[in-house]
Amino acid sequence: MIIDKVIINNFYCFLGENILEFSKGLNIISAVNSGGKSQLFNAFYWTFFDKIYADVDNNSTKKAWKDGSRQIICPDFIKEKSIENDKIECSIEVYLTNEYHLNDEPTGELIEYVFTKKVTYQKINDSLIIFSKPDLTVSFVKDGETEFIPQYNQSWFLERIFPTSIRKFMWYQGETMDELYDFSNPTTLKNAINEISYFPMYDNMEKIVKASLKSIGKKVLKDLELQKKLTVGQQTLINEISYKTNSIEIKSENVTKLKNEISELQDNIAEEEFKLKGYDKYRDIKDELNKLEAELSITKSRIEDSNTYIKETLINKWMLNGCEDLIKASEKNLNIINEEIKQFQKTTNPVPISLPGPEYVEKMISDKICYICERPVLDDTPEYEALVKRLNDFQDNSNHKVLQDNYTELNRARRRLVGELPDINSEIKEKNKAIDLLIKNRTRLTKKIASVYTESGHDKELDITVGASTASQILSKIQTLRNAKDRKSENLRSVISDLAILEDSLKKDLTEKEKALVNIDTNSVESIAEDYIKMFEISIVQLSSIAYKKLIREIQSESNRLYSLYLGGKTQGEIEISNGIRIIDKGTKKTLSDLNTAEIMAQKLAVANAFLSLSERKMKRAYPIVADAPTSDLDHINTYNLTLNIGNSFDQMIIMSKDYALLDNSERDKLIEEAKIVKYYEFINQIIDDTGLDSRANKKTFIKIIK
Amino acid sequence: MKSLNDNLREEFGEILKTPEITNIIIAKKLDDLVISNAFEKLLDNKYGADDSSAIEKGRAEFETFIINTLKTKNH
């Protein structure tokens, strides 16, 4: 297939009619950033697949594949210049030459197909609305008549010329290179292999041959029965074989049905997983946001707790007790008590312990007699005064004791409080330090949450919540499909096991039958035909298995050839295809990890290109490769190597890159010659009106034909 | 330039040359021409694996061709 021409009429940076012609071989579009490369890629993609790689939303610079029918593709210049109610038509026409398809079998006849996609906008209230929605027509001229592929057949036709399973290999963007393929899913590899190989055909042939074998077997037996050449024992054996054959047939049909159902479920899973691609990022973002918000909430709560703790500690230990005042007051009171004690000690005689106690002195005063000397003690006498004084001494001593105790107690309390003060201070300092750290963490988390929003390209939580919810719904559907697939797979295993037992038993019966019928004339046409068909059955089964192994070897070899070419022979390892695709060490054959981006990019590109290259060789189906910025991860010399070598592998390649803009004229001319570049365009996005504003509404892409 | 069918014929031809298949051909005295023509019937019906009616059509063409060719040969 060759893309001959594209006519771009009012599409983003392409103003008015722009014609780009391409030829078989290597076609290069060179442009610096914003030159219009990606919009050329979008022009193709919008036309064929109704998708546009555009900003996630108006407030974002993040890009994603978006539904093409909802995008406004009209250039800003035209939008600004048009007046209210003006109608603006934007269109793309792609001319490509491909084999004529009436059905799945290409006829070998080459036809130029014209894909025309048009959309009309109307300016209302200073904005553009879709007046007539994007519409695709596919036409071709056959036998002098212009014919159209009906709309209901367009998807089928597009699937024939750009099969989904290898579409990504022929249309790729540097920015989405990591999505180029995911062979961790075995179905992806199987589908891609089916697309470039004969396997579906071998499968089909095998089915035909097996059906023939069953049919001819029945005919042979019928013939023998008719000729009445069988004994009762042989007839029983034949009946047994017939019964088992029928059971096997039913079980085989069941196996096929289950396999188809499983395959359909796998396709559905793959489809849902593909849908998820647009939404899983929301789920990841939402998960990250949830995690960050939970962490933020915990941090805030810890800050709150710490503040509360400090307050409570202060209140309990400090504020409520009025510790500072208490200590100050206690100091003063202690001094007073101390003075009192001292004073007391100066002025009072201590009471000798050997003398009678206060009760005894009180009794003596009351009885007016001294029980020590047994003399009367009259009122107002010196003896009486002495006893009263003695009683007062007792009172003073008691007071002194209380004072002393108070002093001790007060002093102890004061010492305790003074002792606790540094602890409270250090505890508060420690807590404040922890709070500072928590506040820093809170600030970090708040910033991180803001950056998650910025990086996601959304400033509204709702967008992310809705996206995440859609992702969850898709995931839930995927889970349901996986469960259904697991159940079917379990069922399939059981049926296959029963089938194996039956087949084994049938095999024994057939061997017995061979022995039993050895003396019977089996030279009927049906018997001989059975010999032919048996030979075909063995051959086709082997053909499929051998061809598969051979194909894997070929893909691997072609991938490694291209991989080496793209990196100028300086690869870190080699590509291995077996249960997935990986790069292994050339010596140890162990998987290499932590490869640089250029290696990974070259590997992916090489495998994808190997698939297309083999498709061309094996199936005689050539696809163009249209690549936007495939070399962005390569250094200068590898870009050069890739350009020199990539063109040789395919019928047609259209490469768009900014890397070629770095070349001066002589380097560029040298590259054109060495790489056998057939078309070379330079895109330059420039101001239209020099006196006007430096605005996108005053710019367009100019196309310069270098070759 | 080889066509898709040429590729398929070539791979089938290689299988026929393997000892296992060669032995069957010799032992059952199978005719090379019948084999190659019958393979053409398979090639005619190589598409449509998902369609049971296409399988049945293929089977009928393939089987009938072999039987008719053998009948013609016998006469």
Side-chain angles (χ1 to χ4, degrees):
Chain A
M1 183 201 308
I2 300 290
I3 295 175
D4 302 311
K5 186 166 63 176
V6 57
I7 302 174
I8 309 172
N9 183 33
N10 293 337
F11 186 86
Y12 289 110
C13 56
F14 296 99
L15 228 69
E17 190 178 82
N18 297 267
I19 301 175
L20 286 155
E21 289 185 338
F22 301 107
S23 298
K24 193 173 175 176
L26 183 56
N27 300 262
I28 296 287
I29 313 285
S30 166
V32 294
N33 285 339
S34 308
K37 304 178 301 289
S38 298
Q39 299 308 5
L40 173 62
F41 190 89
N42 271 334
F44 284 118
Y45 227 78
W46 180 70
T47 310
F48 295 128
F49 315 118
D50 203 23
K51 290 255 191 270
I52 282 190
Y53 194 62
D55 290 343
V56 171
D57 58 37
N58 290 339
N59 302 320
S60 170
T61 51
K62 283 262 161 189
K63 291 188 168 188
W65 285 108
K66 301 194 81 177
D67 181 359
S69 61
R70 293 183 186 175
Q71 301 299 307
I72 303 288
I73 59 163
C74 179
D76 290 347
F77 177 82
I78 296 184
K79 184 189 158 194
E80 293 303 320
K81 294 283 171 193
S82 57
I83 54 168
E84 199 67 4
N85 293 323
D86 262 4
K87 291 195 182 79
I88 306 156
E89 191 180 279
C90 303
S91 65
I92 307 285
E93 279 177 83
V94 183
Y95 292 72
L96 63 83
T97 302
N98 193 45
E99 276 185 290
Y100 176 59
H101 273 77
L102 255 183
N103 46 39
D104 284 334
E105 177 100 65
T107 58
E109 180 187 356
L110 291 176
I111 286 272
E112 187 172 65
Y113 291 94
V114 185
F115 290 74
T116 308
K117 190 151 185 175
K118 277 184 193 164
V119 60
T120 309
Y121 301 105
Q122 188 170 24
K123 192 167 182 175
I124 308 263
N125 295 332
D126 204 34
S127 28
L128 295 182
I129 58 149
I130 296 172
F131 179 76
S132 69
K133 60 180 188 173
D135 181 45
L136 175 70
T137 56
V138 186
S139 61
F140 57 95
V141 176
K142 179 133 180 32
D143 304 327
E145 289 287 342
T146 300
E147 297 193 32
F148 291 87
I149 293 182
Q151 281 211 323
Y152 60 83
N153 253 357
Q154 283 179 0
S155 305
W156 167 83
F157 181 66
L158 281 165
E159 187 58 37
R160 296 280 79 70
I161 61 169
F162 302 123
T164 318
S165 53
I166 51 171
R167 191 174 289 171
K168 279 184 181 175
F169 303 164
M170 53 185 120
W171 296 92
Y172 51 72
Q173 269 218 322
E175 283 183 52
T176 57
M177 192 64 89
D178 52 344
E179 292 173 16
L180 191 55
Y181 55 74
D182 175 17
F183 286 133
S184 57
N185 179 0
T187 330
T188 318
L189 184 61
K190 183 176 163 267
N191 290 343
I193 284 176
N194 279 348
E195 207 55 62
I196 63 152
S197 68
Y198 323 134
F199 294 105
M201 296 174 198
Y202 284 145
D203 280 352
N204 205 30
M205 288 183 188
E206 197 179 321
K207 281 178 190 165
I208 292 173
V209 171
K210 283 194 166 159
S212 300
L213 197 59
K214 274 177 205 159
S215 161
I216 199 79
K218 282 179 193 168
K219 283 177 187 164
V220 169
L221 291 176
K222 203 173 172 186
D223 183 54
L224 289 174
E225 279 173 40
L226 283 173
Q227 291 179 38
K228 297 190 176 167
K229 289 179 178 173
L230 301 174
T231 64
V232 176
Q234 286 168 339
Q235 188 60 56
T236 313
L237 182 63
I238 298 294
N239 291 344
E240 188 69 17
I241 288 171
S242 174
Y243 170 75
K244 284 176 185 166
T245 309
N246 283 339
S247 301
I248 286 172
E249 199 170 324
I250 293 164
K251 287 210 182 287
S252 298
E253 276 171 16
N254 203 4
V255 166
T256 313
K257 191 174 156 242
L258 282 167
K259 277 184 179 168
N260 286 341
E261 284 170 356
I262 290 168
S263 174
E264 202 176 311
L265 284 165
Q266 263 170 340
D267 286 348
N268 290 343
I269 290 170
E271 199 180 310
E272 291 302 319
E273 280 173 345
F274 182 73
K275 271 191 213 162
L276 190 63
K277 275 194 187 305
Y279 290 102
D280 58 351
K281 63 178 178 191
Y282 292 110
R283 208 172 134 266
D284 293 344
I285 294 166
K286 187 72 185 164
D287 283 350
E288 196 179 352
L289 279 175
N290 284 346
K291 201 178 121 203
L292 288 170
E293 274 161 6
E295 210 180 321
L296 181 65
S297 167
I298 290 169
T299 308
K300 280 180 178 171
S301 144
R302 276 187 188 158
I303 293 171
E304 191 69 23
D305 287 351
S306 294
N307 280 331
T308 313
Y309 176 82
I310 288 172
K311 272 182 205 163
E312 280 175 359
T313 310
L314 272 174
I315 289 165
N316 287 344
K317 290 191 173 176
W318 188 247
M319 302 296 282
L320 276 182
N321 290 331
C323 290
E324 203 164 351
D325 292 343
L326 193 69
I327 289 166
K328 276 180 193 163
S330 70
E331 208 168 339
K332 195 179 154 194
N333 290 340
L334 278 169
N335 288 339
I336 294 167
I337 296 169
N338 201 21
E339 282 306 310
E340 283 283 324
I341 293 167
K342 278 181 191 168
Q343 196 61 34
F344 177 82
Q345 280 170 344
K346 271 186 203 167
T347 55
T348 6
N349 291 322
V351 180
I353 296 164
S354 55
L355 289 178
E359 298 84 7
Y360 198 62
V361 174
E362 208 169 0
K363 175 107 179 111
M364 284 194 288
I365 292 170
S366 154
D367 295 348
K368 297 185 189 311
I369 187 161
C370 173
Y371 291 116
I372 299 166
C373 61
E374 293 187 343
R375 284 184 297 186
V377 178
L378 299 173
D379 289 350
D380 301 325
T381 61
E383 293 79 11
Y384 177 83
E385 293 295 329
L387 281 174
V388 171
K389 189 173 180 302
R390 185 75 198 153
L391 198 61
N392 287 342
D393 282 347
F394 277 119
Q395 186 62 42
D396 286 350
N397 266 325
S398 169
N399 288 343
H400 176 251
K401 180 93 174 49
V402 170
L403 208 58
Q404 190 78 38
D405 287 351
N406 283 349
Y407 179 81
T408 310
E409 185 63 27
L410 196 58
N411 209 17
R412 191 181 293 132
R414 182 179 172 274
R415 272 205 305 275
R416 198 184 70 238
L417 283 169
V418 169
E420 270 189 13
L421 259 182
D423 283 351
I424 295 170
N425 276 340
S426 64
E427 204 176 331
I428 288 170
K429 270 183 196 164
E430 217 169 274
K431 280 282 166 193
N432 279 338
K433 221 185 267 177
I435 288 174
D436 282 347
L437 282 177
L438 287 167
I439 288 171
K440 271 183 196 163
N441 197 31
R442 185 182 65 187
T443 315
R444 181 185 68 82
L445 289 167
T446 313
K447 276 185 189 163
K448 181 100 181 147
I449 288 170
S451 79
V452 169
Y453 277 110
T454 316
E455 278 170 25
S456 73
H458 295 276
D459 54 358
K460 288 179 199 139
E461 195 186 347
L462 186 67
D463 291 348
I464 291 167
T465 309
V466 170
S469 157
T470 313
S472 296
Q473 282 168 14
I474 296 172
L475 271 175
S476 159
K477 194 168 176 189
I478 290 174
Q479 194 51 49
T480 312
L481 289 167
R482 280 191 182 141
N483 290 342
K485 191 190 131 208
D486 289 347
R487 280 197 301 276
K488 299 264 179 206
S489 300
E490 186 58 40
N491 199 358
L492 178 66
R493 273 194 289 276
S494 158
V495 179
I496 286 175
S497 161
D498 292 350
L499 193 60
I501 295 166
L502 266 173
E503 278 174 343
D504 193 43
S505 172
L506 179 68
K507 205 174 164 187
K508 282 176 192 159
D509 286 355
L510 287 171
T511 316
E512 207 174 315
K513 185 190 125 192
E514 290 282 322
K515 285 180 201 160
L517 301 186
V518 75
N519 293 324
I520 298 174
D521 174 24
T522 52
N523 277 335
S524 67
V525 168
E526 283 77 11
S527 291
I528 301 166
E530 192 179 27
D531 292 339
Y532 275 93
I533 296 170
K534 273 182 188 166
M535 186 281 297
F536 265 98
E537 192 205 16
I538 301 167
S539 306
I540 300 290
V541 169
Q542 281 193 13
L543 199 54
S544 180
S545 153
I546 291 169
Y548 182 81
K549 285 177 194 152
K550 195 175 159 199
L551 182 72
I552 291 290
R553 279 200 305 274
E554 281 175 316
I555 298 171
Q556 189 169 300
S557 154
E558 180 67 1
S559 299
N560 276 311
R561 187 182 76 81
L562 296 172
Y563 175 49
S564 175
L565 279 177
Y566 299 165
L567 292 177
K570 290 174 186 163
T571 58
Q572 283 199 37
E574 60 187 13
I575 297 168
E576 186 194 56
I577 303 178
S578 159
N579 278 334
I581 296 175
R582 65 192 71 79
I583 296 181
I584 56 164
D585 186 88
K586 288 174 191 168
T588 63
K589 305 291 175 196
K590 285 183 180 163
T591 305
L592 291 177
S593 54
D594 298 325
L595 291 160
N596 62 57
T597 326
E599 284 267 349
I600 295 167
M601 195 286 294
Q603 176 228 10
K604 290 202 165 207
L605 210 54
V607 175
N609 291 347
F611 268 89
L612 295 185
S613 163
L614 281 166
S615 166
E616 196 166 332
R617 250 189 272 161
K618 293 267 170 189
M619 301 289 281
K620 306 295 155 201
R621 272 193 218 149
Y623 302 101
I625 293 184
V626 183
D628 178 19
T631 58
S632 53
D633 289 320
L634 296 180
D635 54 29
H636 181 69
I637 186 72
N638 284 333
T639 301
Y640 202 86
N641 283 328
L642 184 119
T643 313
L644 283 185
N645 295 301
I646 204 165
N648 295 329
S649 308
F650 306 98
D651 255 14
Q652 187 184 40
M653 287 206 74
I654 300 172
I655 296 185
M656 310 161 200
S657 175
K658 65 178 178 186
D659 297 340
Y660 306 114
L662 298 169
L663 304 174
D664 62 29
N665 288 356
S666 66
E667 286 172 327
R668 183 194 63 202
D669 294 343
K670 191 172 162 238
L671 180 70
I672 290 175
E673 196 187 327
E674 287 185 350
K676 299 184 186 73
I677 294 168
V678 288
K679 296 276 177 192
Y680 195 108
Y681 293 99
E682 271 179 13
F683 286 2
I684 305 150
N685 194 264
Q686 281 181 339
I687 284 183
I688 302 165
D689 176 7
D690 288 339
T691 58
L693 285 173
D694 181 10
S695 148
R696 202 170 70 171
N698 186 26
K699 282 181 183 170
K700 67 171 264 191
T701 289
F702 293 87
I703 299 171
K704 189 174 169 191
I705 304 170
I706 304 296
K707 185 177 177 189
Chain B
M1 198 174 101
K2 280 191 287 183
S3 68
L4 167 63
N5 282 355
D6 285 340
N7 279 336
L8 292 165
R9 281 185 201 108
E10 195 178 286
E11 289 195 354
F12 181 65
E14 280 172 25
I15 290 290
L16 294 184
K17 284 181 204 157
T18 58
E20 187 187 357
I21 307 296
T22 308
N23 288 341
I24 296 173
I25 293 172
I26 294 168
K28 299 283 180 184
K29 294 175 187 155
L30 305 180
D31 185 340
D32 287 348
L33 194 63
V34 178
I35 294 171
S36 59
N37 286 340
F39 187 69
E40 290 301 312
K41 294 290 159 196
L42 291 179
L43 287 181
D44 292 346
N45 292 282
K46 62 184 180 292
Y47 292 109
D50 298 331
D51 184 355
S52 59
S53 65
I55 300 288
E56 184 47 31
K57 176 185 161 282
R59 181 206 64 76
E61 283 182 19
F62 175 69
E63 192 183 317
T64 313
F65 170 79
I66 294 175
I67 291 172
N68 287 348
T69 310
L70 293 175
K71 279 182 182 166
T72 314
K73 269 181 79 180
N74 283 352
H75 286 91

